[in-house]
Amino acid sequence: MKKSLFATGMVFFLLVSILLPVSAAAEENTDAKNLTVDAKSAILIERDTGKVLFNKNEHEKLSPASMTKIMTLLLIMEALGEGKLKLDEKIRVSERAASMGGSQIFLETGEEMSVEDLLKGIAVASGNDASVALAERIAGSEQAFVKKMNEKAKELQLKNTKFQNSTGLPADDHYSTAYDMSIMSKELLKHESITKYTSIYEDYLRKGKENEFWLVNTNRLVKFYPGVDGLKTGYTSEAKYCLTATAEKDDMRVIAVVMGADSTKERNAQVSQMLDYAFNHFQTKKLFKKGDKITELNLLKAENKITDVVASESISTLYRRGESTDKITTDIHLVKDLNLPVKRGEKVGELIVKNGDTILSKSALTVEEPIQQASFLTLWKRTWQTLAKNE
């Protein structure tokens, strides 16, 4: 049922340091031309704004190999965030999950392992068996999970991505692009706890048991490049060497994707060069952190009349080092009519960051607590309180 929303949008005039919008054609800079000579495709973006700092054949459809697991991890993190999955829940491994080849953590049929350990197995060791085990737990079967993966790709408006499995093992008609991978990664990083796992360089599963397994991160940059704390490597003979990496420095987080490099050495070198370029030439100004209160809802027919509206993600502005500053504004647009109840994390508006008439970024505004429809008793009390005030 439609409920009137009595909160209206507010405009914040922030006197913050921001430079003129960064061009999406940053690759024309002579310093960026030779960043990924040997890769088939690549892209470099700033996470908060989504601005492209460098690109090369970023929309070319290629096999993503195990970078497929970025989408798998995204759906896992969403399930955890929604309370549909618990980190300490034990999952019984199916025969099919245990039979997965390629990278694996050597799960056995009937073995029980916690969601958190399976998550480590995916994030650190790229375990195909762990991916299928969690896919089956979330959707009932890997096939049903893959349907969710493709639905999520559509929701994110990824036009050049199609999945056939949750692992990235070779399959016909299974493809993505460097651009699409960067957008998936941007979405995954909204779940800030993911880097708790993707940043692990080494760890153990089943520690102290006979079948103890040593995890070593397939992303060596986690250890050898300061600030790198994710995300996912990939390799097959068709895809060659791929890597989606993220790093944070001086409050700026960037995402670099390389697909089709000739070796791990080349892949890591090219990603490192992209990260160097980003941190040497650009910086950000943080406007809001994830969870910061932006405004509030005043809903007459909600059980709790006043509800905080918060940033769904970190919100920043991006500028080139050494360029002049300008003033920006942020506009808040709240949904005019909401259907009650509203779930925790549901979008209730949008924060638009602008430089003059130029839109720099758009970010969803959400609520951290569910909003329930007011009971008859609550409405009755409010009616009498209003009448009493008017007497």
Side-chain angles (χ1 to χ4, degrees):
M1 185 170 77
K2 295 290 183 180
K3 300 293 172 182
S4 297
L5 176 62
F6 289 90
T8 57
M10 298 188 301
V11 179
F12 285 82
F13 293 95
L14 304 175
L15 299 178
V16 296
S17 297
I18 178 181
L19 302 175
L20 296 175
V22 177
S23 168
E27 71 275 14
E28 293 178 4
N29 186 301
T30 54
D31 293 325
K33 282 185 176 178
N34 298 318
L35 289 180
T36 58
V37 174
D38 297 323
K40 289 182 180 179
S41 69
I43 195 168
L44 173 68
I45 70 170
E46 192 276 323
R47 200 227 74 92
D48 285 4
T49 63
K51 292 292 183 182
V52 177
L53 310 181
F54 168 80
N55 51 19
K56 173 186 176 181
N57 303 328
E58 73 276 19
H59 297 299
E60 182 178 351
K61 294 179 183 179
L62 296 167
S63 170
S66 279
M67 291 197 307
T68 296
K69 296 185 180 80
I70 291 172
M71 181 61 87
T72 300
L73 288 169
L74 173 56
L75 295 186
I76 293 168
M77 296 307 293
E78 286 186 345
L80 286 166
E82 293 167 2
K84 297 177 180 178
L85 201 62
K86 303 292 184 183
L87 287 173
D88 59 358
E89 177 186 343
K90 294 285 188 179
I91 292 178
R92 189 174 188 277
V93 178
S94 71
E95 182 177 355
R96 186 174 187 281
S99 70
M100 290 294 110
S103 300
Q104 55 186 300
I105 57 173
F106 299 97
L107 294 172
E108 297 180 5
T109 302
E111 177 181 1
E112 292 190 350
M113 184 173 283
S114 71
V115 168
E116 183 163 40
D117 281 350
L118 290 170
L119 182 55
K120 284 182 186 178
I122 300 170
V124 180
S126 194
N128 294 325
D129 45 3
S131 297
V132 173
L134 278 171
E136 291 175 341
R137 163 60 183 83
I138 291 170
S141 69
E142 187 185 17
Q143 184 178 11
F145 186 83
V146 171
K147 183 179 179 182
K148 288 180 176 289
M149 294 171 71
N150 287 318
E151 288 172 350
K152 189 65 179 182
K154 186 176 181 180
E155 178 187 324
L156 295 175
Q157 299 181 12
L158 307 182
K159 299 178 180 179
N160 297 303
T161 291
K162 187 175 182 181
F163 298 115
Q164 301 294 341
N165 56 53
S166 64
T167 60
L169 286 168
D172 293 337
D173 209 28
H174 183 105
Y175 55 83
S176 190
T177 67
Y179 173 82
D180 286 5
M181 280 290 153
S182 72
I183 300 303
M184 284 179 232
S185 300
K186 185 179 187 300
E187 191 71 14
L188 175 59
L189 287 165
K190 289 182 181 179
H191 302 272
E192 295 177 352
S193 61
I194 188 60
T195 55
K196 172 185 174 182
Y197 303 100
T198 58
S199 64
I200 296 170
Y201 184 70
E202 59 181 336
D203 201 350
Y204 288 89
L205 297 177
R206 315 179 190 93
K207 192 168 180 63
K209 298 182 179 179
E210 289 185 3
N211 57 347
E212 179 178 275
F213 185 76
W214 182 35
L215 295 173
V216 180
N217 204 316
T218 56
N219 180 8
R220 299 294 188 261
L221 294 184
V222 164
K223 184 175 183 179
F224 296 109
Y225 192 104
V228 170
D229 52 8
L231 276 170
K232 194 69 203 69
T233 59
Y235 171 78
T236 64
S237 57
E238 176 191 358
K240 302 177 75 172
Y241 294 90
C242 307
L243 173 60
T244 296
T246 185
E248 188 172 32
K249 181 180 180 181
D250 297 332
D251 225 15
M252 180 172 79
R253 178 174 288 282
V254 296
I255 299 166
V257 185
V258 164
M259 300 182 75
D262 289 330
S263 66
T264 54
K265 182 179 179 180
E266 284 296 320
R267 175 186 71 186
N268 293 345
Q270 290 173 44
V271 167
S272 296
Q273 288 170 0
M274 292 167 74
L275 297 177
D276 287 344
Y277 173 73
F279 294 128
N280 288 338
H281 291 83
F282 302 92
Q283 62 188 94
T284 57
K285 176 70 176 183
K286 186 78 72 178
L287 301 183
F288 301 102
K289 295 180 180 179
K290 180 179 179 180
D292 279 355
K293 179 180 176 180
I294 306 300
T295 184
E296 59 187 27
L297 296 175
N298 188 341
L299 299 171
L300 181 62
K301 295 185 179 181
E303 186 65 30
N304 295 320
K305 191 176 177 182
I306 306 298
T307 303
D308 289 346
V309 175
V310 302
S312 65
E313 60 183 324
S314 176
I315 301 172
S316 302
T317 57
L318 175 71
Y319 56 97
R320 288 180 179 276
R321 293 182 180 273
E323 289 186 348
S324 60
T325 62
D326 198 3
K327 296 177 182 179
I328 65 167
T329 59
T330 61
D331 294 342
I332 297 173
H333 296 277
L334 296 176
V335 176
K336 292 182 179 179
D337 295 293
L338 285 175
N339 288 323
L340 297 183
V342 175
K343 295 185 294 185
R344 177 180 180 272
E346 185 173 334
K347 181 178 177 180
V348 296
E350 192 171 53
L351 179 76
I352 301 176
V353 181
K354 296 195 296 185
N355 178 25
D357 293 330
T358 303
I359 295 176
L360 302 180
S361 65
K362 295 181 180 181
S363 297
L365 298 177
T366 63
V367 290
E368 290 190 322
E369 299 295 333
I371 305 174
Q372 303 295 337
Q373 186 172 337
S375 65
F376 175 80
L377 180 60
T378 298
L379 293 174
W380 183 82
K381 287 180 180 178
R382 284 180 187 162
T383 300
W384 281 103
Q385 287 169 353
T386 301
L387 290 174
K389 288 179 182 179
N390 292 332
E391 288 182 356

